[in-house]
Amino acid sequence: MVSSAGIRYLHAMSAPGRTGWVFSPRFLAHNADQAHPECPERLTAINERLGETGLLEQLCPLEFGPADNAEILRVHTRRYLADLDKSEGRQLDPDTFCGKDTPAIARLAAGGALAATRAVRRGELANAFCAVRPPGHHAPADRAMGFCFLNNVAIAAADVVAADPEARVLILDWDVHHGNGTQSIFYERPDVVYASIHQYPFYPGTGAAHEIGRGPGKGYTINKPLGIGSGDDAFLDAVREILDEAGRLIHPDLILISAGFDAHADDPLANLRVTTDGFTEATRRVCAFAQTHCGGRIVSVLEGGYNLRALADAVSAHVAALLEAGRNDR
């Protein structure tokens, strides 16, 4: 494990072309106090692998604090936020447990995504990876579900368009489970394209190809469901199709990746067959698209991934590709 003393939290003011890194030892304190796949060891495995490969020392750690109420309330309801702050020790849905420190840690995870997004938008960093937990993409406006409490990526996307109403954001979600929370938050909005690649039919039951948005947001939701056993070819075809469609829809100011790695062939909670090489190639394709369309600006935020070795492998490869893109962007 990388200790808190081993990571210095720095401003990124002098690091153009660098890849940002969001992590806090506080994220390890979110614990359901029982066996659970979304466990602190997920981040321990990632940190250890990045340290062993020499990638961690190449990253630019970011200072960040918790998201405040105004930032969270852009996507979550006031009633839900008040309930969450009083939920310590409660089970909020069949697989989502709120530990003693979870509400504060969820705010900190969202704050990390915000800090990375702002640093990348200001040009202080080329791109960033946020090793945060709890994850967020299943959380809709009004409740917790699917291991998720606050929707980190949605909070970051809403911050971009709040700062500049003319800005447009692409969210690419490649977690094996459809990001129902993120989709619902932006389903009627044309300023954020939500695009998902996921196993289907599968938890949480949403994400059919015909779900394309509603009202002003019609056409701005893109779902690419994959059948059981789909591997790298199908996954990369879906990435290509999404980037082609998104490029026709908007000129994004920034790309957010809901970076779940549970589509990996070795993950115990799903049935896709994506390899570490597949995630590497997907990252490179998104980086190339970002370089063409938004100056390379990407913020990747951890979602799922539950085989510790596979998760560490895939995140390490993903971060290496982000670093390569950042160096090429100098």
Side-chain angles (χ1 to χ4, degrees), residues 122-139:
R122 289 192 298 260
E124 296 162 9
L125 295 167
N127 52 43
F129 180 73
C130 302
V132 301
R133 58 183 297 273
H137 74 149
H138 289 310

Side-chain angles (χ1 to χ4, degrees), residues 211-230:
E211 297 171 21
I212 61 170
R214 182 186 303 119
K218 187 174 182 178
Y220 290 86
T221 293
I222 304 169
N223 282 299
K224 300 293 180 182
L226 301 180
I228 288 174
S230 296

Side-chain angles (χ1 to χ4, degrees), residues 141-157:
D142 60 351
R143 65 189 185 279
M145 69 175 289
F147 311 166
C148 302
F149 298 87
L150 297 177
N151 197 312
N152 305 314
V153 162
I155 289 168

Side-chain angles (χ1 to χ4, degrees), residues 182-250:
T182 314
Q183 175 172 293
S184 67
I185 287 166
F186 296 112
Y187 204 59
E188 298 185 12
R189 293 176 57 165
D191 48 1
V192 176
V193 171
Y194 174 72
S196 178
I197 306 165
H198 49 275
Q199 183 175 324
Y200 185 87
F202 201 41
Y203 179 89
T206 52
H210 64 76
E211 297 171 21
I212 61 170
R214 182 186 303 119
K218 187 174 182 178
Y220 290 86
T221 293
I222 304 169
N223 282 299
K224 300 293 180 182
L226 301 180
I228 288 174
S230 296
D232 288 352
D233 289 345
F235 178 68
L236 292 171
D237 283 347
V239 171
R240 175 183 51 78
E241 291 167 5
I242 282 172
L243 296 178
D244 287 347
E245 292 177 34
R248 290 192 292 268
L249 283 170
I250 61 168

Side-chain angles (χ1 to χ4, degrees), residues 85-293:
D85 286 338
K86 298 181 290 185
S87 294
E88 297 94 335
R90 290 171 47 201
Q91 181 174 346
L92 302 187
D93 87 343
D95 55 15
T96 306
F97 302 86
C98 189
K100 179 175 70 71
D101 300 313
T102 296
I105 297 168
R107 285 176 176 266
L108 189 62
L114 284 169
T117 300
R118 291 168 180 172
V120 170
R121 287 199 71 224
R122 289 192 298 260
E124 296 162 9
L125 295 167
N127 52 43
F129 180 73
C130 302
V132 301
R133 58 183 297 273
H137 74 149
H138 289 310
D142 60 351
R143 65 189 185 279
M145 69 175 289
F147 311 166
C148 302
F149 298 87
L150 297 177
N151 197 312
N152 305 314
V153 162
I155 289 168
D159 187 69
V160 172
V161 295
D164 178 5
E166 299 301 314
R168 297 294 179 263
V169 178
L170 168 61
I171 298 174
L172 172 55
D173 186 337
W174 66 42
D175 190 281
V176 79
H177 304 97
H178 181 248
N180 59 298
T182 314
Q183 175 172 293
S184 67
I185 287 166
F186 296 112
Y187 204 59
E188 298 185 12
R189 293 176 57 165
D191 48 1
V192 176
V193 171
Y194 174 72
S196 178
I197 306 165
H198 49 275
Q199 183 175 324
Y200 185 87
F202 201 41
Y203 179 89
T206 52
H210 64 76
E211 297 171 21
I212 61 170
R214 182 186 303 119
K218 187 174 182 178
Y220 290 86
T221 293
I222 304 169
N223 282 299
K224 300 293 180 182
L226 301 180
I228 288 174
S230 296
D232 288 352
D233 289 345
F235 178 68
L236 292 171
D237 283 347
V239 171
R240 175 183 51 78
E241 291 167 5
I242 282 172
L243 296 178
D244 287 347
E245 292 177 34
R248 290 192 292 268
L249 283 170
I250 61 168
H251 182 74
D253 183 71
L254 179 133
I255 298 169
L256 286 157
I257 303 176
S258 263
F261 296 95
D262 39 4
H264 196 284
D266 294 335
D267 196 273
L269 297 193
N271 307 103
L272 296 189
R273 307 295 299 170
V274 180
T275 68
T276 297
D277 287 345
F279 285 116
T280 301
E281 179 60 22
T283 308
R284 288 174 175 159
R285 292 186 184 190
V286 177
C287 289
F289 177 88
Q291 187 57 48
T292 299
H293 291 270

Side-chain angles (χ1 to χ4, degrees), residues 286-328:
V286 177
C287 289
F289 177 88
Q291 187 57 48
T292 299
H293 291 270
C294 57
R297 291 186 291 273
I298 297 171
V299 175
S300 179
V301 182
L302 184 66
E303 300 284 0
Y306 305 102
N307 176 300
L308 298 184
R309 179 194 54 77
L311 176 63
D313 286 348
V315 169
S316 179
H318 178 63
V319 167
L322 291 174
L323 280 162
E324 178 184 22
R327 287 191 293 266
N328 293 338

